[in-house]
């Protein structure tokens, strides 16, 4: 007696761009809908950026002095950059959770582009980060921040911040695919970010730091992004530095973002392919 067994559909080894794009958009929509069905996501998305703005503007704003500039103007670009950097954490947790639940294995059995899973996660998280950035900009206007270089450069600054978020999401994807559980991903996605963010010009003038720390801060990618955003917003501080990234902050910011993507996107894709082939 023979038993008919239904064959399991396997993901095609090669797919066209149109199918890969369609599959990625499908996974993106799935991730966005799933995220909005979890109340904790709304709390993070709406409450946390408001909390950051209010705490730093009203609690620390009176204690921190940056000579020659309004601290709220100096602060807001730094807060934007910090929040975009922290996009790394939800990306790493989301992918680690998908791995632990076996979702990667279920997607692998479908006739879809393998790249769609990781691309869909990154794009969905980027949409969420854009919503967070809009909320923070509105909060900035409420506490007295504004931009001074016209609407075109304002949009350029927003674009730079979103490019940085995109780069950090690839870092988060690589971490999420490299660790064993969402709990580990939550720590691994954040713990290294604190020294990177605080050893920068996000909150204070690096000239107040010890010489070695100041040099690190001036070449820190986060400092370049913050200085580039301040320049485009018209909130540039009067801090003087001879370091090349500080003298050419917008160019340096773009180069850092492209370098991060160039390094971590292939690493994340390679990690995903190894995980999907097991």
């Amino acid at each position: 007696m023979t038993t008919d067994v239904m064959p399991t559909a396997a993901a095609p080894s090669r797919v066209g761009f149109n199918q890969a794009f369609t599959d990625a958009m499908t996974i993106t929509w799935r991730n966005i809908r799933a995220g909005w069905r979890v109340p904790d996501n709304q709390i993070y998305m709406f409450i946390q950026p408001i909390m950051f703005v209010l705490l730093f503007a009203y609690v620390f704003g009176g204690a921190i002095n940056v000579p020659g500039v309004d601290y709220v103007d100096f602060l807001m670009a730094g807060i934007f950059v910090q929040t975009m950097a922290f996009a790394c954490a939800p990306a790493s947790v989301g992918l680690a959770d998908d791995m632990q639940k076996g979702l990667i294995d279920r997607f692998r059995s479908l006739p879809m582009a393998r790249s769609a899973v990781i691309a869909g996660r990154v794009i969905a998280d980027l949409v969420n980060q854009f919503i967070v950035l809009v909320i923070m900009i509105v909060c900035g206007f409420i506490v007295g921040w504004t931009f001074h270089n016209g609407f075109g450069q304002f949009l350029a600054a927003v674009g730079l911040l979103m490019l940085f978020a995109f780069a950090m999401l690839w870092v988060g994807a690589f971490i999420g695919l490299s660790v064993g559980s969402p709990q580990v991903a939550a720590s691994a996605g954040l713990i290294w970010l604190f020294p990177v963010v605080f050893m920068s010009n996000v909150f204070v003038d690096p000239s107040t730091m010890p010489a070695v720390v100041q040099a690190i801060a001036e070449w820190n990618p986060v400092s370049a992004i913050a200085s580039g955003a301040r320049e485009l917003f018209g909130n540039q501080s009067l801090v003087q530095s001879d370091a090349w990234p500080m003298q050419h902050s917008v160019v340096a910011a773009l180069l850092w973002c492209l370098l991060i993507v160039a390094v971590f996107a292939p690493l994340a894709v390679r990690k995903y392919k190894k995980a999907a082939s097991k």
Side-chain angles (χ1 to χ4, degrees):
M1 176 183 290
T2 59
T3 303
D4 293 332
V5 178
M6 293 296 292
T8 301
S13 57
R14 293 180 180 274
V15 297
F17 174 79
N18 289 339
Q19 180 181 343
F21 178 80
T22 301
D23 292 343
M25 291 300 100
T26 301
I27 299 299
T28 297
W29 181 238
R30 172 260 174 195
N31 288 333
I32 291 175
R33 290 183 63 189
W36 278 87
R37 288 173 178 171
V38 180
D40 290 349
N41 286 343
Q42 280 88 335
I43 293 174
Y44 165 78
M45 190 174 296
F46 294 111
I47 302 300
Q48 182 167 313
I50 296 172
M51 179 186 67
F52 273 133
V53 173
L54 296 180
L55 278 177
F56 280 95
Y58 292 123
V59 176
F60 297 108
I64 301 176
N65 179 43
V66 179
V69 296
D70 178 16
Y71 185 66
V72 171
D73 273 359
F74 180 87
L75 169 72
M76 288 310 303
I79 289 289
F80 298 155
V81 171
Q82 173 193 256
T83 305
M84 296 302 103
F86 285 175
C88 176
S92 61
V93 172
L95 274 171
D97 188 53
D98 288 346
M99 291 284 292
Q100 188 179 64
K101 291 178 177 177
L103 191 63
I104 301 297
D105 293 331
R106 292 198 290 273
F107 282 139
R108 184 180 57 175
S109 68
L110 299 175
M112 61 181 290
R114 290 187 174 183
S115 61
V117 177
I118 188 170
R121 168 61 62 181
V122 169
I123 296 170
D125 287 339
L126 189 65
V127 171
N128 290 335
Q129 287 303 118
F130 178 73
I131 296 172
V132 169
L133 180 59
V134 170
I135 294 171
M136 297 190 74
I137 289 173
V138 172
C139 291
F141 290 147
I142 292 173
V143 300
W145 170 80
T146 189
F147 58 91
H148 305 282
N149 280 352
F151 191 66
Q153 293 206 49
F154 167 80
L155 292 179
V158 171
L160 176 61
L161 292 168
M162 294 309 300
L163 178 61
F164 181 53
F166 180 72
M168 294 305 296
L169 287 170
W170 283 109
V171 178
F174 172 71
I175 293 173
L177 292 167
S178 301
V179 300
S181 69
Q183 293 77 17
V184 176
S187 298
L190 275 179
I191 192 168
W192 61 275
L193 274 173
F194 286 103
V196 171
V197 169
F198 284 95
M199 291 175 62
S200 71
N201 65 5
V202 164
F203 300 116
V204 297
D205 178 356
S207 65
T208 62
M209 303 175 184
V212 174
V213 180
Q214 179 181 346
I216 294 173
E218 289 173 341
W219 285 88
N220 186 339
V222 173
S223 292
I225 309 298
S227 291
R230 289 185 183 115
E231 182 176 336
L232 292 170
F233 282 134
N235 301 144
Q236 182 70 13
S237 71
L238 299 180
V239 177
Q240 299 297 319
S241 171
D242 294 329
W244 186 87
M246 298 297 97
Q247 293 291 325
H248 308 86
S249 55
V250 175
V251 175
L254 291 172
L255 291 176
W256 273 120
C257 289
L258 294 176
L259 178 61
I260 293 170
V261 174
V263 171
F264 283 95
L267 289 175
V269 171
R270 186 178 303 173
K271 275 286 183 183
Y272 172 72
K273 287 182 177 179
K274 287 182 178 180
S277 63
K278 292 179 180 180

